[in-house]
Amino acid sequence: MIASIAGLAFLAMQTTAPETGWTWTLYTDEARVALANEVPDTPNLRFTLECDPASGVARVAFYGGAAETGMARVTAGEAAAVTESTGERGALKLTLRTDHPVFAAFAAEGRLTAAVGE
């Protein structure tokens, strides 16, 4: 799991333009691992992915869009999943099993989308 998130961080760092200020940051401690697409030292976030080691579940948050509650369709590459989402603190939040094909496609391609409703 930690290797997957570290791999995502490496892939993301290869595709981020430094002049924009946006970057991918990997945070780790004994209790959790988190990957954030952010402007460091500001409240600006686009995306976070967080998990507890060996839990098999990632908590995903999308910032800057609609923060809706309901069933979300999550896609990455050709893979898709449906999961419940919540709108909290300006973010669309959901959970995703790390052994699901959507998570594997996200790890391989570095892109993940989520939509609630139509």
Side-chain angles (χ1 to χ4, degrees):
M1 177 61 178
I2 292 173
S4 294
I5 292 177
L8 286 171
F10 178 76
L11 175 67
M13 286 184 239
Q14 303 304 309
T15 61
T16 302
E19 66 273 5
T20 66
W22 288 92
T23 188
W24 287 93
T25 308
L26 182 65
Y27 299 96
T28 62
D29 61 31
E30 296 81 33
R32 70 183 181 110
V33 177
L35 178 64
N37 185 225
E38 64 181 350
V39 177
D41 301 322
T42 73
N44 297 327
L45 281 172
R46 287 185 184 153
F47 176 84
T48 60
L49 181 131
E50 184 178 346
C51 72
D52 301 323
S55 69
V57 175
R59 294 177 299 278
V60 180
F62 296 88
Y63 297 88
E68 299 181 38
T69 298
M71 297 308 291
R73 179 175 170 80
V74 183
T75 58
E78 298 294 317
V82 176
T83 186
E84 188 173 357
S85 68
T86 60
E88 299 176 27
R89 300 178 190 186
L92 173 68
K93 295 185 176 184
L94 54 93
T95 58
L96 185 61
R97 290 205 44 86
T98 59
D99 60 358
H100 193 282
V102 167
F103 194 86
F106 172 51
E109 297 181 12
R111 291 188 51 101
L112 182 73
T113 61
V116 177
E118 296 183 37

